[in-house]
Amino acid sequence: MTVNLIYFSIMGFSFRQIMTIFRRAAYSKYNTLSGSELVPPISLLVPAFNEEVTVIENVNCLLTLNYPTYEVIVINDGSKDNTLGVLREEFGLEPLANPDIRQTIDCQPITAVYHNPQYPHLYVIDKPNGGKADSLNAGINLSHYPLISSIDADSLLEKDALIRMARMYMENPEETVAIGGDVRIANGCVIENGAVKQVSLPRKMWPMFQATEYLKAFLGGRIGWSSINGLIIVSGAFGLFRKDYVTAVGGYRGGYPGEDMNIIIKLHRYMLENKVKYRIAFCPEAVCWTQAPDTYRILSNQRKRWGRGNLKNMIENFDMAFNPRYKVMGLLTMPYNIIFEALNPYFKITGLLALIGYTMLDMTHWRILAVFWLINFLSGYVLSIGALLLEELAFKRFSKLSDLCRLLLFSVFKFFGYAQLGGLWRIQGHIQFMRNNNSWGTMTRQSWGDKSVAGKRETPAEQAKTA
């Protein structure tokens, strides 16, 4: 009951913020900023490992954003496929003789930096494999601007996503150290020229379950946590950071998954220990579309990896938990994540086994089990409905009634097997952590063209000719 009370409290904070978000999303003059010299320049960092089927569409998308001054830095992290080759061929890239690299943060040595003056804001780093965190650190060392944004190579940004993020930053640039964007499932959507032209839900079961999860986590959860400055994660798929503070905390932590959570925890710790007023915000109207795993094997690998990363971060930063020095992070966010995220599967298993044992020993009645399950089901389902209501109040991305019905239906289905699998995957991730298993797991990508009704993909140069 305690966890449900916390869930509903966070959802309540989200509803309290939703009208502000709606007005900002609907009436903000963000379009007038797209040509303004006052908008801070941004370096977009795109780690890429074995992303040859998606990276071109991703870069084409990033090169055509509605933003005045920015650069795109793709970091080829020792890919075993032809990621570097397709980038060089598509954009005519050649190695720079003397790239301007500042070794601000430790990372694997950079082999080469590729550039083409015809694409003045595009750089490609080639380096040995060191993991996503190491790639981001390499990108920071090459970056030229005071704000950095991390973006996954299998993701697509909406054209106005960056300018919406920058508008939120400009509201309070002195205190804002990081902003997270909203991540949505692109499976099933119609993709044309690196942009989502028609929003639709996935047709496969596994991505559909994840679509319901993402709505609940981002709209029902992160809006609320950010409103009390207790956000513990900015998704690695899309986030904005002040480079000076990321550098001050030593950059991203390599060697283990969960680097997106780790950098946020380090920023909270740094700002609180140095008594600097700050905020880590969430901008739900800045949307990034990502490919979700569509098979059991890939999804389970991803969730085990998330479980390892979460446990590692909780162990490393356990001293913050229940510590008033760290304010909301210490008294609410960290205890919540330790008890109700890292340890939650064990509580569920032991609680279920205890109830079954009581029933078998005739110490309780099966009706009590049924009532217990029904309360948990209804509370979880109400939270899912709340997230969908937030979506409909502020964003209305799903134009078809059938999509809304499917979301409601799968929000029910996930309690019959999928939620239990989530707990199992988390426990398996913890076992991998104890065994020092740091494997990433095989992640297979689909070409964006596989989900597009468009014909030939256009490059930014071709788009400019037809504009």
Side-chain angles (χ1 to χ4, degrees), residues 151-402:
I151 299 167
D152 281 350
D154 64 338
S155 302
L156 299 174
L157 291 190
E158 293 191 346
K159 300 303 180 185
D160 60 3
L162 209 58
I163 201 71
R164 289 180 181 273
M165 196 88 89
R167 183 194 179 280
M168 176 174 277
Y169 171 80
M170 292 171 68
E171 290 174 357
N172 195 346
E174 293 300 319
E175 295 181 11
T176 305
V177 298
I179 304 173
D182 188 17
V183 180
R184 293 181 178 246
I185 303 298
N187 305 52
C189 295
V190 176
I191 312 294
E192 294 181 10
N193 298 323
V196 174
K197 296 298 183 182
Q198 180 180 325
V199 175
S200 187
L201 288 173
R203 291 180 287 273
K204 294 185 178 181
M205 176 181 69
W206 297 115
M208 190 62 214
F209 278 127
Q210 293 168 80
T212 65
E213 278 185 315
Y214 276 45
L215 271 180
K216 182 180 174 183
F218 282 87
L219 299 187
R222 297 191 187 182
I223 293 175
W225 282 111
S226 67
S227 70
I228 58 175
N229 207 23
L231 198 61
I232 198 173
I233 186 170
V234 164
S235 174
F238 182 34
L240 182 73
F241 302 84
R242 273 184 56 170
K243 185 168 71 174
D244 55 349
Y245 284 120
V246 172
T247 303
V249 300
Y252 288 84
R253 182 204 64 196
Y256 242 90
E259 73 290 325
D260 46 1
M261 177 182 287
N262 183 259
I263 191 67
I264 297 301
I265 294 175
K266 289 201 297 186
L267 287 169
H268 277 292
R269 180 189 290 272
Y270 179 88
M271 304 305 285
L272 290 165
E273 289 180 352
N274 288 278
K275 295 181 173 56
V276 180
K277 194 174 181 181
Y278 75 104
R279 71 165 180 166
I280 294 176
F282 176 64
C283 184
E285 62 267 38
V287 176
C288 168
W289 295 89
T290 189
Q291 288 190 30
D294 60 1
T295 67
Y296 176 90
R297 180 177 59 86
I298 298 174
L299 178 59
S300 65
N301 283 337
Q302 181 196 67
R303 297 310 167 92
K304 292 171 193 175
R305 188 174 69 249
W306 288 4
R308 296 200 311 269
N310 180 271
L311 184 60
K312 173 75 169 177
N313 281 310
M314 294 304 101
I315 291 174
E316 283 186 348
N317 298 281
F318 188 77
D319 63 302
M320 294 178 69
F322 309 101
N323 189 336
R325 179 185 185 188
Y326 297 103
K327 298 184 179 180
V328 173
M329 272 296 289
L331 297 177
L332 185 57
T333 304
M334 290 297 293
Y336 169 85
N337 276 270
I338 291 170
I339 298 171
F340 300 118
E341 293 293 336
L343 300 179
N344 190 40
Y346 305 101
F347 293 146
K348 285 185 175 179
I349 290 174
T350 54
L352 179 61
L353 291 176
L355 284 172
I356 293 173
Y358 291 152
T359 304
M360 293 178 66
L361 294 172
D362 224 14
M363 298 172 66
T364 188
H365 199 278
W366 67 266
R367 290 188 179 87
I368 296 177
L369 279 177
V371 170
F372 177 81
W373 181 87
L374 187 63
I375 290 172
N376 278 277
F377 166 75
L378 289 176
S379 60
Y381 191 55
V382 168
L383 288 169
S384 296
I385 293 174
L388 189 56
L389 183 58
L390 288 169
E391 155 67 27
E392 285 302 294
L393 284 172
F395 308 109
K396 295 182 173 63
R397 295 274 177 171
F398 302 106
S399 57
K400 294 183 290 187
L401 179 61
S402 60

Side-chain angles (χ1 to χ4, degrees), residues 401-461:
L401 179 61
S402 60
D403 282 348
L404 298 177
C405 292
R406 286 186 69 205
L407 283 169
L408 289 172
L409 196 60
F410 270 82
S411 294
V412 173
F413 290 161
K414 72 179 181 182
F415 289 98
F416 298 90
Y418 183 76
Q420 291 75 20
L421 279 175
L424 174 64
W425 292 331
R426 196 173 303 176
I427 292 173
Q428 289 176 327
H430 294 176
I431 294 171
Q432 290 178 346
F433 172 80
M434 298 302 179
R435 291 177 174 176
N436 202 29
N437 179 349
N438 195 29
S439 62
W440 188 263
T442 303
M443 302 296 288
T444 304
R445 306 296 189 198
Q446 281 185 298
S447 168
W448 288 110
D450 293 345
K451 291 183 283 298
S452 173
V453 297
K456 175 181 176 291
R457 183 187 70 241
E458 292 181 341
T459 66

Side-chain angles (χ1 to χ4, degrees), residues 66-230:
N66 297 329
Y67 203 83
T69 306
Y70 68 100
E71 62 182 357
V72 178
I73 302 175
V74 182
I75 306 98
N76 179 47
D77 188 39
S79 296
K80 295 179 175 62
D81 65 0
N82 197 33
T83 297
L84 180 61
V86 297
L87 284 166
R88 292 193 64 182
E89 180 181 357
E90 178 78 11
F91 300 104
L93 303 171
E94 296 295 336
L96 287 175
N98 296 297
D100 181 21
I101 302 173
R102 295 161 297 282
Q103 199 64 30
T104 308
I105 304 172
D106 289 338
C107 65
Q108 292 275 5
I110 292 175
T111 306
V113 176
Y114 295 88
H115 186 64
N116 180 352
Q118 293 183 11
Y119 300 93
H121 307 301
L122 173 63
Y123 298 87
V124 175
I125 293 173
D126 187 32
K127 59 180 285 295
N129 180 258
K132 185 176 180 180
D134 191 78
S135 297
L136 290 167
N137 290 338
I140 291 170
N141 288 339
L142 180 68
S143 63
H144 304 98
Y145 297 137
L147 295 180
I148 57 172
S149 178
S150 60
I151 299 167
D152 281 350
D154 64 338
S155 302
L156 299 174
L157 291 190
E158 293 191 346
K159 300 303 180 185
D160 60 3
L162 209 58
I163 201 71
R164 289 180 181 273
M165 196 88 89
R167 183 194 179 280
M168 176 174 277
Y169 171 80
M170 292 171 68
E171 290 174 357
N172 195 346
E174 293 300 319
E175 295 181 11
T176 305
V177 298
I179 304 173
D182 188 17
V183 180
R184 293 181 178 246
I185 303 298
N187 305 52
C189 295
V190 176
I191 312 294
E192 294 181 10
N193 298 323
V196 174
K197 296 298 183 182
Q198 180 180 325
V199 175
S200 187
L201 288 173
R203 291 180 287 273
K204 294 185 178 181
M205 176 181 69
W206 297 115
M208 190 62 214
F209 278 127
Q210 293 168 80
T212 65
E213 278 185 315
Y214 276 45
L215 271 180
K216 182 180 174 183
F218 282 87
L219 299 187
R222 297 191 187 182
I223 293 175
W225 282 111
S226 67
S227 70
I228 58 175
N229 207 23

